[in-house]
Amino acid sequence: MKNQKLRKDDWIKKTYTLFSIFALISGFSLYSEVKKENQVLDWEGDRKRFLHKNINWEELGLKSQTQYILENFTIHSGLEHTPIPLEQVEGNLKYLTLGYQLRKVESRWKTIALSSGSKDKITEFHPRVVVRVDAPYAYSPTEYFDSKVFLKNTALTIPPSEANGNWNSELWFAPKWDFPVFSTFAFERIIDTATCPDAIYHEYTHLITGKYLGNNAIGRSLAEGISDYYAASLLDHPELYSHKTCEAVKRQLLVSSFRLDREVGSYDSSIESDFKKDFAFIPSLLWQYRQLVGNDLADVTIFQAITKTNAGDRFFPEFINTLSTSLHKELKKRNGEQAATEMVLKLEENVWIPHGVYSQYSRKKIVFSQFPKTSVKVPNSDEKSNEFCEIKNEMEFFWNDVSLEEPTLRFYWNCNQVKIPMLIQIDQSNPTNFLLQSNLHFLNGKLRFASQSADKPNPKLSEENQILYLKMYNHIKEYYFYRKTMEKEVRLYLESGVDVSRIEKIRMEFAYLGNSKKRFQYSFPLFNDGFY
């Protein structure tokens, strides 16, 4: 009996203990459901890392008591028409981080705009910008592939469009994706950009640049480079899109980050049309600019340059000139003319010129600055064409039209009353090659007809002159061009005296013409003062 009683007492104790544990666990669960922690990922600038930080609802600036609506954003799940309900937002690290960082970058851009003197309310959007989390099409491994792009799209901005004075735009942030079957450490791609401040800052900047650079600017080299620059600048850290700047990239093996403080190179005009060729050049160059002039001044003057850049221009060379002008104007206002000029010249010497770009402040160091500032007529020494051209046989070169942005020497081949437009396209693709101080002795170019239909004389010409035109055209085509390419190599020799930075004579030579032992060559005459 005694043993039975002891066993009964033990059973009661065990039951009570288990019940107490269950009650305790249930209590914790109920408490946790009621008291969900609202945390965000935020960047700690001093230690260059992310921290999980508790926030209050007030820090999000919510504009609805039921849905995820901020002052200038409505945040949706996927393609849902209505914003995310707040009960789903509470305790959700991704949703909270996105809203918190959007508000943070918005505040920073408002400060930049005010400091720049802009009266535009650039951070206000009417209607609100639609932000889509877990957007299904930002990147699909089965529907999109580009061999040139190693960094696949996991976030994108739908280009802003304007209607009746209002801007409509959307930001999409994609979830992770996995290769079919292989869901392993090596193949699983985990990069949920909605939790990556650097990606959020990049996409938000597209909203700003889209207003000034045009609806088609997104995806072009300048807009992409500026967005990367501001993403790094707002973090105050030159590395982007890695586990260091985005906690969600911890196991990302298929994408490598880049550091703006290491990757620069030289300007290549091809990035204007194919920004995928070089993602890093523009943001890296702007980061060097930032290191020279200072963080806040760089952010402000780059924005000023954005607002003054013509969307129809060939973007980058004009942007650099506009940026140097903005820097000079801003520093002159703050520190005076002398300090402004000294800084701009220092910028040219240390940042722009070494990487193949220039502004108006360094034009005197470029070969084009010493070309003739007018048209120059030179008698033609081609003996064969003298048979056709009894009255006039000369070439009229328009040297004043040659520039860094348009390195093309245009001229007319004048034959009596007939003019055949020609051009010499200077070949150097890297503008550094145009520096006088770079031991520059000659420029290479290619002779071409200026018109694609050069074989068709102007119908306004007399019948006699149309016949003369065709004779000259066939002569040039036969003796001055490689038949397959319809072009001819030309070299412009730049002859200097003791001062190598000053051109004293320009001598032009064509490549050998057919079987002729003579080269077509002549020099351009100098005026008495040494200038054309």
Side-chain angles (χ1 to χ4, degrees), residues 315-365:
F315 279 128
F316 198 62
E318 289 79 4
F319 180 77
I320 288 297
N321 188 61
T322 307
L323 179 53
S324 288
T325 302
S326 295
L327 176 64
H328 187 274
K329 184 177 180 180
E330 189 67 27
L331 282 175
K332 182 180 178 180
K333 183 174 64 176
R334 298 183 185 188
N335 304 324
E337 174 76 34
Q338 183 176 351
T341 301
E342 287 176 356
M343 176 57 80
V344 168
L345 293 177
K346 186 177 180 181
L347 172 65
E348 300 288 326
E349 293 285 344
N350 294 282
V351 181
W352 292 165
I353 290 176
H355 300 296
V357 291
Y358 314 88
S359 77
Q360 61 181 341
Y361 297 96
S362 59
R363 294 280 162 161
K364 292 181 180 180
K365 298 179 180 181

Coordinates of all heavy atoms in Angstrom, one line a residue, residues 315-365:
F315 N 25.7 61.4 -72.7 CA 25.6 61.7 -71.2 C 26.9 62.1 -70.6 O 27.1 63.2 -70.0 CB 25.0 60.6 -70.5 CG 23.5 60.6 -70.5 CD1 22.8 59.4 -70.9 CD2 22.8 61.7 -70.2 CE1 21.4 59.4 -71.0 CE2 21.4 61.7 -70.2 CZ 20.7 60.5 -70.6
F316 N 27.9 61.2 -70.5 CA 28.9 61.4 -69.5 C 29.9 62.5 -69.7 O 30.2 63.3 -68.8 CB 29.7 60.1 -69.3 CG 30.5 60.0 -68.0 CD1 29.8 60.1 -66.8 CD2 31.8 60.0 -68.0 CE1 30.5 60.1 -65.6 CE2 32.5 60.0 -66.8 CZ 31.9 60.1 -65.6
P317 N 30.5 62.8 -70.9 CA 31.4 63.9 -71.0 C 30.7 65.2 -70.6 O 31.3 66.1 -69.9 CB 31.8 63.9 -72.5 CG 31.6 62.5 -72.9 CD 30.4 62.0 -72.1
E318 N 29.5 65.4 -71.0 CA 28.8 66.7 -70.7 C 28.5 66.7 -69.2 O 28.6 67.8 -68.6 CB 27.5 66.8 -71.4 CG 27.6 67.0 -72.9 CD 28.0 65.8 -73.7 OE1 28.1 64.7 -73.1 OE2 28.2 66.0 -74.9
F319 N 28.2 65.6 -68.6 CA 28.0 65.6 -67.1 C 29.2 66.0 -66.3 O 29.1 66.7 -65.4 CB 27.5 64.2 -66.7 CG 27.2 64.1 -65.2 CD1 26.0 64.6 -64.7 CD2 28.1 63.5 -64.4 CE1 25.8 64.5 -63.4 CE2 27.9 63.4 -63.0 CZ 26.7 63.9 -62.5
I320 N 30.4 65.5 -66.7 CA 31.6 65.9 -66.0 C 31.9 67.4 -66.1 O 32.2 68.0 -65.1 CB 32.8 65.1 -66.7 CG1 32.8 63.7 -66.2 CG2 34.2 65.8 -66.2 CD1 32.9 63.4 -64.8
N321 N 31.6 68.0 -67.3 CA 31.8 69.4 -67.4 C 30.8 70.2 -66.5 O 31.1 71.1 -65.9 CB 31.6 69.8 -68.9 CG 31.9 71.3 -69.1 OD1 33.0 71.7 -68.9 ND2 30.9 72.1 -69.5
T322 N 29.5 69.7 -66.5 CA 28.5 70.3 -65.6 C 28.9 70.2 -64.2 O 28.6 71.1 -63.4 CB 27.1 69.7 -65.9 OG1 26.9 69.7 -67.3 CG2 26.0 70.4 -65.2
L323 N 29.4 69.0 -63.8 CA 29.8 68.8 -62.4 C 30.9 69.7 -62.0 O 30.9 70.3 -60.9 CB 30.2 67.3 -62.2 CG 30.7 66.9 -60.8 CD1 29.6 67.3 -59.8 CD2 30.9 65.4 -60.8
S324 N 31.9 69.9 -62.8 CA 33.0 70.8 -62.5 C 32.5 72.2 -62.3 O 32.9 73.0 -61.5 CB 34.1 70.8 -63.5 OG 34.9 69.5 -63.4
T325 N 31.6 72.6 -63.2 CA 31.0 73.9 -63.1 C 30.2 74.1 -61.9 O 30.3 75.2 -61.2 CB 30.1 74.2 -64.4 OG1 30.9 74.0 -65.6 CG2 29.5 75.6 -64.3
S326 N 29.5 73.1 -61.5 CA 28.7 73.2 -60.2 C 29.6 73.3 -59.0 O 29.3 74.0 -58.1 CB 27.8 71.9 -60.1 OG 26.8 71.9 -61.1
L327 N 30.7 72.5 -59.0 CA 31.7 72.6 -57.9 C 32.3 74.0 -57.8 O 32.4 74.5 -56.7 CB 32.8 71.6 -58.2 CG 33.9 71.6 -57.1 CD1 33.4 71.2 -55.8 CD2 35.1 70.6 -57.6
H328 N 32.7 74.6 -59.0 CA 33.3 75.9 -58.9 C 32.3 76.9 -58.4 O 32.6 77.8 -57.6 CB 33.7 76.3 -60.4 CG 34.5 77.6 -60.4 ND1 33.9 78.8 -60.5 CD2 35.8 77.8 -60.3 CE1 34.8 79.7 -60.5 NE2 36.0 79.2 -60.4
K329 N 31.0 76.9 -58.9 CA 30.0 77.8 -58.4 C 29.7 77.7 -56.9 O 29.6 78.7 -56.2 CB 28.7 77.6 -59.2 CG 27.6 78.6 -58.9 CD 26.4 78.3 -59.8 CE 25.3 79.3 -59.5 NZ 24.1 79.1 -60.4
E330 N 29.6 76.4 -56.5 CA 29.3 76.2 -55.0 C 30.5 76.7 -54.1 O 30.3 77.3 -53.1 CB 29.0 74.7 -54.8 CG 28.5 74.4 -53.4 CD 27.1 75.0 -53.2 OE1 26.3 75.2 -54.1 OE2 26.8 75.2 -52.0
L331 N 31.7 76.3 -54.5 CA 32.9 76.7 -53.7 C 33.1 78.2 -53.8 O 33.6 78.8 -52.8 CB 34.1 76.0 -54.2 CG 34.3 74.5 -53.8 CD1 35.5 73.9 -54.4 CD2 34.4 74.5 -52.2
K332 N 32.8 78.8 -54.9 CA 33.0 80.3 -55.0 C 32.0 81.0 -54.1 O 32.4 82.0 -53.4 CB 32.7 80.7 -56.5 CG 32.8 82.2 -56.7 CD 32.5 82.6 -58.1 CE 32.6 84.1 -58.3 NZ 32.3 84.5 -59.7
K333 N 30.8 80.4 -53.9 CA 29.8 81.0 -53.0 C 30.3 80.8 -51.6 O 30.0 81.7 -50.7 CB 28.5 80.3 -53.3 CG 27.3 80.8 -52.4 CD 26.0 80.2 -52.8 CE 26.0 78.7 -52.6 NZ 24.7 78.0 -52.9
R334 N 30.9 79.7 -51.3 CA 31.3 79.4 -49.9 C 32.7 80.0 -49.5 O 32.8 80.6 -48.4 CB 31.4 77.9 -49.7 CG 30.1 77.2 -49.9 CD 30.2 75.7 -49.6 NE 29.0 74.9 -49.9 CZ 28.9 73.6 -49.5 NH1 29.8 73.0 -48.9 NH2 27.7 73.0 -49.8
N335 N 33.7 79.9 -50.4 CA 35.0 80.2 -50.1 C 35.7 81.2 -50.9 O 36.9 81.6 -50.7 CB 35.9 78.9 -50.1 CG 35.3 77.9 -49.2 OD1 34.8 78.1 -48.1 ND2 35.4 76.6 -49.6
G336 N 35.0 81.7 -52.0 CA 35.6 82.7 -52.9 C 36.2 82.1 -54.2 O 36.4 80.9 -54.3
E337 N 36.5 83.0 -55.1 CA 36.9 82.7 -56.5 C 38.2 81.9 -56.5 O 38.3 80.9 -57.2 CB 37.1 83.9 -57.3 CG 37.6 83.7 -58.7 CD 36.6 83.1 -59.6 OE1 35.4 83.4 -59.5 OE2 37.1 82.3 -60.5
Q338 N 39.2 82.3 -55.7 CA 40.5 81.7 -55.8 C 40.5 80.2 -55.3 O 41.0 79.3 -55.9 CB 41.5 82.5 -54.9 CG 42.9 81.9 -55.0 CD 44.0 82.7 -54.3 OE1 43.7 83.8 -53.8 NE2 45.2 82.2 -54.1
A339 N 39.8 80.0 -54.2 CA 39.7 78.7 -53.6 C 38.9 77.8 -54.6 O 39.3 76.6 -54.7 CB 39.0 78.7 -52.2
A340 N 37.9 78.3 -55.2 CA 37.1 77.5 -56.1 C 37.9 77.1 -57.3 O 37.9 75.9 -57.8 CB 35.9 78.3 -56.6
T341 N 38.7 78.0 -57.9 CA 39.5 77.7 -59.1 C 40.6 76.7 -58.7 O 40.9 75.8 -59.5 CB 40.1 79.0 -59.6 OG1 39.1 79.9 -60.0 CG2 41.0 78.7 -60.9
E342 N 41.2 76.9 -57.6 CA 42.3 75.9 -57.2 C 41.7 74.5 -57.0 O 42.4 73.6 -57.4 CB 42.9 76.4 -55.8 CG 43.8 77.7 -56.0 CD 44.3 78.2 -54.6 OE1 43.9 77.6 -53.6 OE2 45.1 79.1 -54.6
M343 N 40.6 74.4 -56.4 CA 40.0 73.0 -56.2 C 39.6 72.4 -57.6 O 39.9 71.2 -57.8 CB 38.8 73.1 -55.3 CG 38.1 71.8 -55.1 SD 39.1 70.5 -54.5 CE 39.1 70.9 -52.7
V344 N 39.0 73.2 -58.5 CA 38.6 72.6 -59.8 C 39.9 72.2 -60.6 O 39.8 71.1 -61.2 CB 37.8 73.7 -60.6 CG1 37.7 73.2 -62.0 CG2 36.4 73.9 -59.9
L345 N 40.9 72.9 -60.5 CA 42.1 72.6 -61.2 C 42.8 71.3 -60.6 O 43.3 70.4 -61.3 CB 43.1 73.7 -61.3 CG 42.7 74.9 -62.1 CD1 43.8 76.0 -62.0 CD2 42.5 74.5 -63.6
K346 N 42.7 71.2 -59.3 CA 43.2 70.1 -58.6 C 42.4 68.8 -59.0 O 42.9 67.7 -59.1 CB 43.1 70.3 -57.1 CG 43.7 69.2 -56.2 CD 43.7 69.5 -54.8 CE 44.3 68.4 -53.9 NZ 44.2 68.8 -52.4
L347 N 41.1 69.0 -59.1 CA 40.2 67.9 -59.6 C 40.6 67.4 -61.0 O 40.7 66.2 -61.2 CB 38.8 68.4 -59.5 CG 37.7 67.5 -60.1 CD1 37.6 66.2 -59.3 CD2 36.3 68.2 -60.2
E348 N 40.9 68.4 -61.9 CA 41.3 68.0 -63.2 C 42.5 67.2 -63.2 O 42.6 66.1 -63.9 CB 41.5 69.3 -64.1 CG 40.3 70.2 -64.2 CD 39.2 69.6 -65.1 OE1 39.6 68.9 -66.1 OE2 38.1 69.9 -64.8
E349 N 43.5 67.6 -62.4 CA 44.8 67.0 -62.4 C 44.8 65.6 -61.8 O 45.5 64.7 -62.2 CB 45.9 67.9 -61.7 CG 46.2 69.2 -62.4 CD 47.1 69.0 -63.6 OE1 47.7 67.9 -63.7 OE2 47.2 69.9 -64.4
N350 N 44.0 65.5 -60.7 CA 44.1 64.3 -59.9 C 43.0 63.2 -60.2 O 43.2 62.1 -59.9 CB 44.0 64.6 -58.4 CG 45.2 65.4 -57.9 OD1 46.3 64.8 -57.7 ND2 45.1 66.7 -57.8
V351 N 41.9 63.7 -60.7 CA 40.8 62.7 -60.9 C 40.4 62.6 -62.4 O 40.4 61.6 -63.0 CB 39.6 63.1 -60.1 CG1 38.4 62.1 -60.3 CG2 40.0 63.2 -58.6
W352 N 40.0 63.8 -63.0 CA 39.4 63.7 -64.4 C 40.4 63.2 -65.4 O 40.2 62.2 -66.1 CB 38.8 65.1 -64.8 CG 37.6 65.6 -64.1 CD1 37.2 66.9 -64.1 CD2 36.7 64.9 -63.3 NE1 36.0 67.0 -63.4 CE2 35.7 65.8 -62.8 CE3 36.5 63.6 -62.8 CZ2 34.6 65.5 -62.0 CZ3 35.4 63.3 -62.0 CH2 34.5 64.2 -61.6
I353 N 41.5 64.0 -65.6 CA 42.4 63.7 -66.7 C 43.1 62.3 -66.6 O 43.2 61.6 -67.6 CB 43.5 64.8 -66.7 CG1 42.9 66.1 -67.2 CG2 44.7 64.4 -67.6 CD1 43.8 67.3 -67.2
P354 N 43.5 61.9 -65.4 CA 44.1 60.5 -65.3 C 43.2 59.4 -65.8 O 43.6 58.3 -66.1 CB 44.5 60.4 -63.8 CG 44.6 61.8 -63.3 CD 43.6 62.6 -64.1
H355 N 41.9 59.7 -65.8 CA 40.9 58.7 -66.2 C 40.2 59.0 -67.5 O 39.1 58.4 -67.8 CB 39.9 58.4 -65.0 CG 40.5 58.0 -63.8 ND1 41.2 56.8 -63.7 CD2 40.7 58.6 -62.6 CE1 41.7 56.6 -62.4 NE2 41.4 57.7 -61.8
G356 N 40.8 59.9 -68.2 CA 40.3 60.1 -69.6 C 39.1 61.0 -69.8 O 38.5 60.9 -70.8
V357 N 38.8 61.9 -68.8 CA 37.7 62.8 -69.0 C 38.2 64.2 -68.7 O 39.2 64.4 -68.0 CB 36.5 62.4 -68.1 CG1 35.8 61.1 -68.6 CG2 36.9 62.3 -66.6
Y358 N 37.5 65.2 -69.2 CA 37.9 66.6 -69.0 C 36.7 67.5 -68.8 O 35.5 67.1 -69.2 CB 38.6 67.1 -70.3 CG 39.6 66.2 -70.9 CD1 39.2 65.2 -71.8 CD2 40.9 66.3 -70.5 CE1 40.1 64.4 -72.4 CE2 41.9 65.4 -71.1 CZ 41.5 64.5 -72.0 OH 42.4 63.6 -72.5
S359 N 36.9 68.6 -68.3 CA 35.9 69.7 -68.2 C 36.5 70.9 -68.9 O 37.6 70.9 -69.4 CB 35.5 70.0 -66.8 OG 36.5 70.8 -66.2
Q360 N 35.7 72.0 -69.0 CA 36.2 73.2 -69.6 C 37.4 73.8 -69.0 O 38.2 74.5 -69.6 CB 35.1 74.2 -69.6 CG 34.7 74.7 -68.2 CD 33.6 75.7 -68.2 OE1 33.3 76.3 -69.2 NE2 32.9 75.8 -67.1
Y361 N 37.7 73.4 -67.8 CA 38.9 74.0 -67.1 C 40.2 73.4 -67.5 O 41.2 73.9 -67.2 CB 38.7 73.8 -65.5 CG 37.5 74.5 -65.0 CD1 36.3 73.8 -64.8 CD2 37.5 75.9 -64.7 CE1 35.1 74.5 -64.4 CE2 36.4 76.5 -64.3 CZ 35.2 75.8 -64.1 OH 34.1 76.5 -63.6
S362 N 40.2 72.3 -68.3 CA 41.4 71.7 -68.7 C 41.5 71.6 -70.2 O 42.3 70.8 -70.8 CB 41.6 70.3 -68.1 OG 40.6 69.5 -68.4
R363 N 40.6 72.3 -70.9 CA 40.5 72.2 -72.4 C 41.9 72.7 -73.1 O 42.2 72.2 -74.1 CB 39.4 73.1 -72.9 CG 38.0 72.6 -72.6 CD 37.6 71.5 -73.4 NE 36.5 70.7 -72.9 CZ 35.7 69.9 -73.6 NH1 35.9 69.8 -74.8 NH2 34.8 69.3 -73.0
K364 N 42.6 73.6 -72.4 CA 43.9 74.0 -73.0 C 44.9 72.9 -73.1 O 45.9 73.1 -73.8 CB 44.4 75.2 -72.2 CG 43.5 76.5 -72.3 CD 44.1 77.6 -71.6 CE 43.2 78.9 -71.7 NZ 43.8 80.0 -70.9
K365 N 44.7 71.9 -72.4 CA 45.7 70.8 -72.4 C 45.4 69.7 -73.4 O 46.1 68.7 -73.5 CB 45.8 70.1 -71.0 CG 46.2 71.1 -69.9 CD 46.2 70.5 -68.5 CE 46.7 71.5 -67.5 NZ 46.7 70.8 -66.1

